[in-house]
Amino acid sequence: MRSAVVVFPGSNCDMDLVHAIEDVLGEEVHPVWHHESDLSSYDAIFLPGGFSYGDYLRCGSLATFSPVMEAVKKEAETGKLIVGICNGFQILTEAGLLPGALMRNDHLQFRCELEPITVERADSAFTRHYEQGETVQIPIAHAEGNYFCDEDTLQKLEENGQILFRYADQNPNGSLANIAGITNEKGNVLGMMPHPERAIVDWMGSPDGARLFTSMLAYWKENQQ
């Protein structure tokens, strides 16, 4: 599985993702500058955390105008796996690849801590190596992780099984329905606020994030043409 990690001006988790994919999967991965307009040679695409364009206007809003986002949309339509983590999640909502929006945390504080996360579904491309209902430990680091959508959208997310992760013990940001991660209807685009790339070995505090990457590799191996 050949992966791309898109780098925007202000990204600061890009190399964390590159090293996590290399260390966990031993697969080919490349940082890709946001001016790139063709991602067709990649099997999976990651949008990392950080502060793209300094988080001016709304978090992730300026990144949607980068040339690479048209390529991301094109590959998403073909069914390739797309993952947006933290700021990457914000970019995916701003670009219309995922519904809803990420707002300021309800307490107006930046939160950086290891957070218990419940796996709502274990049959997706991103969670097949987890157990349904399992609580895993994955860190968060954000000031704008408060997920919001209207009632109709929330109902669709629930009915379609698009909510993959929820905050377990407490809601660290006021997110609607404790949502920590969702997919599109097709199930190939994931946005999540927790950072799985920061939880791949024990010394990080938890190895639980590694299984997201191994789940993706297993799915790709089963479905590659």
Side-chain angles (χ1 to χ4, degrees):
M1 185 175 76
R2 193 167 186 259
S3 298
V5 175
V6 177
V7 183
F8 298 95
S11 296
N12 67 8
C13 300
D14 43 352
M15 294 311 296
D16 291 354
L17 258 176
V18 168
H19 291 304
I21 295 167
E22 287 178 337
D23 293 348
V24 173
L25 302 182
E27 296 284 318
E28 186 178 359
V29 53
H30 299 275
V32 175
W33 189 234
H34 70 113
H35 285 170
E36 181 60 58
S37 59
D38 184 2
L39 298 175
S40 60
S41 65
Y42 295 99
D43 305 301
I45 300 164
F46 294 83
L47 307 184
F51 304 92
S52 60
Y53 292 91
D55 278 351
Y56 289 110
L57 298 182
R58 297 181 308 276
C59 297
S61 60
L62 290 178
T64 63
F65 296 100
S66 290
V68 75
M69 288 309 298
E70 288 302 316
V72 171
K73 292 177 182 178
K74 181 178 179 180
E75 299 309 318
E77 290 174 0
T78 70
K80 288 186 181 179
L81 298 179
I82 313 291
V83 181
I85 299 169
C86 200
N87 187 232
F89 186 6
Q90 295 162 346
I91 294 170
L92 290 175
T93 59
E94 289 286 343
L97 286 168
L98 290 175
L102 280 306
M103 307 188 302
R104 292 290 301 275
N105 294 349
D106 60 352
H107 43 65
L108 303 182
Q109 298 174 347
F110 181 90
R111 287 290 169 86
C112 182
E113 58 198 17
L114 195 63
E115 192 72 28
I117 307 294
T118 300
V119 180
E120 293 293 306
R121 287 187 57 185
D123 59 349
S124 77
F126 307 98
T127 56
R128 56 182 50 207
H129 286 173
Y130 295 98
E131 297 293 330
Q132 186 162 337
E134 177 184 5
T135 298
V136 296
Q137 302 291 326
I138 302 179
I140 61 169
H142 59 251
E144 292 89 9
N146 183 356
Y147 180 80
F148 179 79
C149 63
D150 60 38
E151 292 183 5
D152 289 342
T153 300
L154 178 59
Q155 183 176 348
K156 290 178 181 178
L157 291 175
E158 298 277 9
E159 292 176 351
N160 296 335
Q162 291 173 242
I163 302 173
L164 291 196
F165 301 108
R166 296 186 203 260
Y167 299 109
D169 294 343
Q170 62 179 353
N171 190 326
N173 51 38
S175 183
L176 183 68
N178 292 344
I179 288 173
I182 63 171
T183 68
N184 61 343
E185 288 190 31
K186 197 173 181 179
N188 66 304
V189 178
L190 167 67
M192 60 188 298
M193 290 310 295
H195 286 265
E197 79 281 8
R198 297 182 183 178
I200 61 170
V201 289
D202 287 330
W203 65 258
M204 289 181 165
S206 169
D208 292 338
R211 284 182 281 165
L212 182 136
F213 301 105
T214 60
S215 294
M216 293 175 63
L217 180 60
Y219 174 87
W220 176 78
K221 287 182 176 178
E222 291 176 10
N223 292 276
Q224 64 175 318
Q225 298 299 319

